């Protein structure tokens, strides 16, 4: 049976850096409040006319494909995770396929919020294990700055999120020693409205996008921050332990944890719970904020670039987010 190996990683972040001090000029907030509650110092916002969700994904993908020693034409299937696709439909999968000039290959879109990349990785892993494909491109890309309310009214959400993209190439291998060991996917839809954008919703009466919808706040991000926080600090350790248990490892065996960058306080709490030293945890939320589906692949790609992932390392990816959804992947690099 084939196994899947991550053979290339890449990421792209827009050049436009927005510091906490920049946000202070737009809303009643402070650099001290944002850093203390979230750890974030700055984030990137896309440049209109230059960056799109697809263009950022394309840049990240080209880097990942090149680092894999492949050509775009070697890619047999695309899985694209995003909640902010360039069009309402079609999804970004086909747009990325067009940019990479790969007509005919399948392109799947995944909308699982902050867990989206790990869900996508899991689907790719199953296709490879089934022998369907040998090279699969998995991408997470988001432009979230456009749906943020940058006034004081939206400050609890607006200070958290940013834009960016990350990509990975998965390849079939016969060596289980260097492969994705397992993936674990969970959801609990009872909490769907705790972090959501409800409109434009297909089952809304009347036309699907109206000014009323915007005026009523239906297109705003609704977030019960404290509920999200409380659930996240339970689900992260749980799903990481689930991955370790499934493969007969304890936390001491873990070389690197790459968590979704939701909030530095959440990450630190998870580290304490698992008794993981800081040097075994990747945190780049300080620079990029929360980039939802792009967060895990950006963090993974940066960690790899910085030499923090070596052959033979045991690496765990973990995410939690809107849905609620949560997920993990254990990888022997
Ligand atoms: C959003 C979050 C940072 C808010 O922190 P908190 O400690 O829960 O803060 P609260 O919501 O209780 O608000 C405390 C006060 O700060 C204020 N506040 C909220 N956002 C603020 C901001 N950006 N700047 C300044 N003050 C702010 C609130 O209005 C409130 O004021 P009050 O006490 O006068 O009513 C925190 O709940 C969080 O990180 N939750 C998880 C969110 C997350 O990870 N989302 C993504 C999931 S993948």
């Amino acid at each position: 049976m084939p196994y899947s190996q991550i053979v290339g990683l890449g990421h792209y972040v827009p050049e436009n850096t927005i510091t906490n001090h920049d946000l202070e000029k737009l809303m009643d907030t402070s650099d001290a409040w944002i850093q203390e509650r979230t750890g974030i110092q700055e984030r990137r916002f896309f440049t209109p006319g230059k960056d799109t969700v697809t263009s950022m994904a394309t840049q990240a993908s080209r880097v990942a494909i090149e680092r894999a020693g492949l050509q775009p034409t070697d890619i047999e299937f695309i899985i694209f995770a995003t909640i902010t696709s360039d069009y309402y439909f079609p999804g970004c999968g086909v747009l990325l396929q067009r940019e990479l000039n790969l007509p005919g290959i399948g392109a799947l879109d995944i909308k699982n919020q902050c867990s989206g990349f790990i869900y996508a990785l899991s689907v790719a892993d199953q296709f490879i294990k089934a022998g369907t494909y040998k090279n699969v491109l998995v991408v997470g890309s988001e432009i979230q700055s456009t749906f943020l309310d940058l006034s004081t009214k939206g400050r609890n959400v607006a200070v958290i999120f940013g834009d960016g993209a990350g990509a990975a190439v998965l390849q079939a291998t016969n060596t289980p020693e260097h492969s994705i060991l397992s993936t674990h996917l969970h959801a609990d839809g009872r909490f769907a409205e705790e972090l959501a954008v409800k409109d434009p919703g297909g089952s809304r009466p009347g036309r699907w996008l109206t000014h009323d919808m915007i005026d009523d706040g239906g297109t705003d991000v609704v977030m019960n921050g404290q509920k999200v926080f409380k659930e996240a600090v339970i689900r992260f350790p749980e799903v990481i332990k689930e991955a370790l248990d499934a493969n007969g490892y304890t936390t001491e065996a873990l070389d690197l944890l790459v968590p979704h960058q939701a909030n530095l306080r959440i990450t630190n709490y998870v580290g304490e719970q698992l008794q993981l030293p800081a040097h075994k945890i990747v945190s780049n939320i300080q620079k990029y904020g929360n980039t939802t589906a792009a967060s895990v692949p950006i963090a993974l790609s940066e960690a790899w670039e910085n030499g923090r992932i070596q052959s033979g390392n045991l690496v765990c990816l973990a995410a939690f987010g809107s849905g609620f959804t949560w997920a993990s992947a254990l990888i022997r690099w």
Side-chain angles (χ1 to χ4, degrees), residues 29 33 37 114 155-156 159 223 225-226 228 260 263 290 320:
T29 191
W33 191 98
R37 304 288 175 121
C114 300
R155 66 183 179 175
N156 68 323
V159 300
M223 182 176 76
Q226 294 194 3
V228 173
H260 163 58
N263 180 319
N290 179 343
F320 173 86

Side-chain angles (χ1 to χ4, degrees), residues 211-282:
H211 288 292
D212 283 351
M213 199 177 281
I214 297 166
D215 295 342
D216 293 348
T219 54
D220 291 346
V221 183
V222 177
M223 182 176 76
N224 179 349
Q226 294 194 3
K227 179 69 184 166
V228 173
F229 195 104
K230 284 177 190 159
E231 195 76 9
V233 295
I234 295 168
R235 297 306 187 186
F236 267 112
E238 194 179 86
V239 80
I240 294 163
K241 278 198 197 129
E242 181 184 357
L244 291 166
D245 285 351
N247 294 282
Y249 291 116
T250 60
T251 41
E252 288 84 66
L254 199 57
D255 293 300
L256 199 67
L257 172 65
V258 185
H260 163 58
Q261 308 289 305
N263 180 319
L264 193 57
R265 280 195 299 151
I266 293 176
T267 301
N268 290 344
Y269 188 86
V270 171
E272 280 168 30
Q273 291 283 302
L274 298 173
Q275 296 181 313
L276 276 176
H279 72 269
K280 287 192 173 185
I281 306 174
V282 176

Side-chain angles (χ1 to χ4, degrees), residues 22 29 33 39 56 60 112 170-171 176 206 230 301 325:
D22 292 327
T29 191
W33 191 98
M56 298 195 307
N112 277 87
L170 268 67
Q171 189 168 65
K230 284 177 190 159
S301 174
T325 59

Side-chain angles (χ1 to χ4, degrees), residues 8 44 72 156 160 179 204 232 255 276 330:
R44 305 297 178 95
N156 68 323
I160 295 177
S179 71
R204 251 222 180 212
D255 293 300
L276 276 176
L330 196 68

Side-chain angles (χ1 to χ4, degrees), residues 1 7 49 55 79 85 94 96 110 119 135 149 186 215 247 270 280 287 304 322 326:
M1 183 180 96
V7 290
S55 77
I79 309 181
S85 51
V94 296
L96 176 60
I110 290 203
Y119 267 72
N135 291 304
D149 174 357
H186 298 280
D215 295 342
N247 294 282
V270 171
K280 287 192 173 185
K287 296 186 293 178
W304 181 84
S322 157
W326 60 103

Side-chain angles (χ1 to χ4, degrees), residues 179-202:
S179 71
I180 295 177
L181 304 180
S182 63
T183 56
H184 307 268
L185 311 180
H186 298 280
D188 191 340
R190 289 176 299 172
F191 302 106
E193 285 78 21
E194 300 290 356
L195 175 49
V197 177
K198 292 187 194 163
D199 287 325

